[in-house]
């Protein structure tokens, strides 16, 4: 067991096959229950990333009796980003600083390019890039994807495949840091507070009164229209006004009724039922048909 990595004065134990203790990382982050490894491992995105990492047959996570859970470097970074941007940067900086001293037992790698990253390293970079991109809101994913690749090219002056293999940890660091700086946090916040339901800006009784007044108004406008013709025959000068009011308010009444239908969804059951009665009466009038 290798103890060459320390974060916040906590030694992060490492197995012989290069996996790191999640339990130690949890303690280094402050040890809050909401950041416990078991919660992170319940995350759908975490499990999707694990499946991606293990497609090449290389183990990315391992449980050891009485010692806890150990994960690969990519999952270490993902776990740090799930906890907070501040801790993520601390993890990235620490792993970058000690990368030269971390000894792992791995076969001699093959390189995609003569002086570039190895095939395994390239796959790890692509998987991390893909996971971080998918963690961003859908409408921002294209921008984030381009930003992450551009950051690597700006840092090293070449594509990520051409970066020397010994600088592999730094490639992961750049991608992760830029993702954090752009507001990307890997994974879901399992204990995030539920979103508050919208509340009416007025009480239920006031809303029900408005619905009642719309009903009575509709009734009176339609009544005025019905008697406008007889009144006109009698020479009443208000007859034309009554018909005009009916004609010019129909579209407004329809919009008002539609608004009431929306608002009643946010009211309590009693208020909603009272509004429904008014709406039923309003719909019975030809004015709003």
């Amino acid at each position: 067991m290798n103890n060459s990595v320390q974060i916040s004065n906590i030694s992060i134990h490492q197995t012989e096959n290069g996996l790191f203790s999640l339990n130690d990382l949890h303690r280094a982050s402050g040890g809050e229950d909401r950041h416990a490894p078991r919660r992170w491992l319940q995350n759908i995105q975490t499990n999707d990333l694990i499946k991606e990492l293990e497609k090449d047959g290389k183990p990315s996570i391992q449980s050891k009796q009485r010692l806890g859970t150990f994960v690969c470097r990519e999952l270490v970074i993902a776990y740090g980003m799930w906890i907070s941007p501040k801790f993520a940067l601390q993890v990235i900086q620490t792993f970058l600083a000690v990368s030269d001293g971390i000894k792992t037992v791995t076969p001699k790698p093959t390189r995609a390019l003569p002086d570039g990253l190895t095939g395994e390293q390239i796959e790890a970079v692509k998987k991390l890039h893909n996971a971080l991109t998918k963690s961003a809101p859908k409408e921002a994913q294209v921008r984030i994807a381009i930003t992450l690749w551009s950051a690597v090219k700006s840092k090293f002056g070449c594509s990520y495949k051409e970066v020397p293999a010994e600088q592999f940890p730094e490639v992961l660091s750049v991608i992760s840091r830029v993702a954090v700086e752009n507001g990307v946090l890997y994974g879901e916040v399992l204990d995030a507070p539920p979103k508050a339901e919208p509340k009416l800006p007025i009480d239920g009784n006031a809303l029900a009164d408005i619905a009642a007044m719309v009903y009575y108004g509709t009734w009176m406008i339609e009544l005025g229209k019905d008697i406008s013709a007889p009144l006109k025959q009698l020479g009443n000068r208000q007859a034309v006004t009554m018909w005009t009011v009916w004609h010019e308010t129909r579209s407004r009444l329809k919009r008002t009724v539609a608004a009431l239908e929306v608002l009643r969804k946010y009211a309590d059951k009693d208020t909603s039922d009272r509004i429904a009665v008014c709406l039923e009466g309003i719909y019975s009038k030809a004015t709003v048909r």
Side-chain angles (χ1 to χ4, degrees):
M1 199 71 73
N2 190 317
N3 296 338
S4 60
V5 181
Q6 283 200 347
I7 299 176
S8 299
N9 296 320
I10 301 295
S11 294
I12 310 300
H13 290 80
Q14 180 187 1
T15 63
E16 291 182 354
N17 59 339
L19 302 181
F20 300 89
S21 171
L22 270 187
N23 302 77
D24 290 341
L25 284 164
H26 179 227
R27 288 196 297 132
S29 73
E32 294 185 37
D33 180 67
R34 64 195 180 103
H35 294 148
R38 60 183 170 78
R39 294 186 180 276
W40 179 66
L41 291 170
Q42 292 169 0
N43 193 316
I44 294 174
Q45 287 177 301
T46 299
N47 284 279
D48 288 345
L49 180 57
I50 291 172
K51 290 176 184 177
E52 284 294 322
L53 289 168
E54 293 187 342
K55 280 183 178 179
D56 57 6
K58 184 179 178 180
S60 62
I61 184 169
Q62 181 180 1
S63 294
K64 287 182 172 289
Q65 191 173 9
R66 293 192 299 274
L67 293 177
T69 303
F70 293 77
V71 298
C72 64
R73 194 175 309 182
E74 293 86 348
L75 291 178
V76 167
I77 294 173
Y79 178 63
M81 296 186 72
W82 176 75
I83 290 176
S84 72
K86 181 179 180 180
F87 186 65
L89 288 175
Q90 190 177 1
V91 169
I92 293 166
Q93 291 164 356
T94 299
F95 271 72
L96 180 60
V98 302
S99 60
D100 291 338
I102 295 176
K103 305 298 181 181
T104 58
V105 179
T106 55
K108 187 176 181 179
T110 57
R111 300 181 189 276
L113 296 173
D115 298 315
L117 296 180
T118 67
E120 288 184 353
Q121 290 172 338
I122 288 173
E123 284 304 309
V125 171
K126 288 195 294 186
K127 287 172 183 177
L128 179 60
H129 177 275
N130 186 51
L132 293 173
T133 299
K134 288 184 177 180
S135 295
K138 191 172 183 179
E139 64 274 11
Q141 287 181 3
V142 173
R143 177 180 62 80
I144 291 296
I146 295 172
T147 299
L148 298 184
W149 288 139
S150 297
V152 173
K153 191 165 186 178
S154 175
K155 171 70 176 178
F156 299 99
C158 59
S159 75
Y160 72 98
K161 293 181 182 179
E162 299 171 294
V163 176
E166 59 270 18
Q167 291 184 291
F168 168 62
E170 196 167 350
V171 175
L172 298 181
S173 172
V174 169
I175 291 176
S176 302
R177 175 177 54 76
V178 172
V180 172
E181 290 173 351
N182 280 269
V184 177
L185 288 178
Y186 180 79
E188 305 159 338
V189 180
L190 297 179
D191 50 1
K195 292 182 178 179
E197 290 293 329
K199 292 184 179 180
L200 290 169
I202 58 176
D203 63 38
N205 287 331
L207 183 59
D209 288 343
I210 291 173
M213 291 306 298
V214 173
Y215 166 70
Y216 287 123
T218 305
W219 180 34
M220 292 302 297
I221 290 169
E222 187 158 306
L223 179 62
K225 187 265 296 184
D226 292 340
I227 66 174
S228 63
L231 288 175
K232 185 177 181 180
Q233 291 178 352
L234 294 172
N236 191 306
R237 289 181 296 181
Q238 299 300 320
V240 175
T241 301
M242 290 180 178
W243 188 91
T244 302
V245 168
W246 170 81
H247 179 73
E248 293 186 355
T249 58
R250 291 187 70 190
S251 59
R252 290 182 172 85
L253 280 171
K254 290 178 181 180
R255 291 196 295 270
T256 303
V257 169
L260 285 171
E261 285 283 17
V262 173
L263 290 172
R264 68 183 286 247
K265 296 177 183 178
Y266 298 103
D268 58 70
K269 187 178 184 306
D270 178 64
T271 301
S272 180
D273 290 343
R274 289 160 62 192
I275 295 173
V277 172
C278 293
L279 289 173
E280 185 177 352
I282 294 169
Y283 286 133
S284 70
K285 304 300 180 185
T287 301
V288 295
R289 292 177 194 162

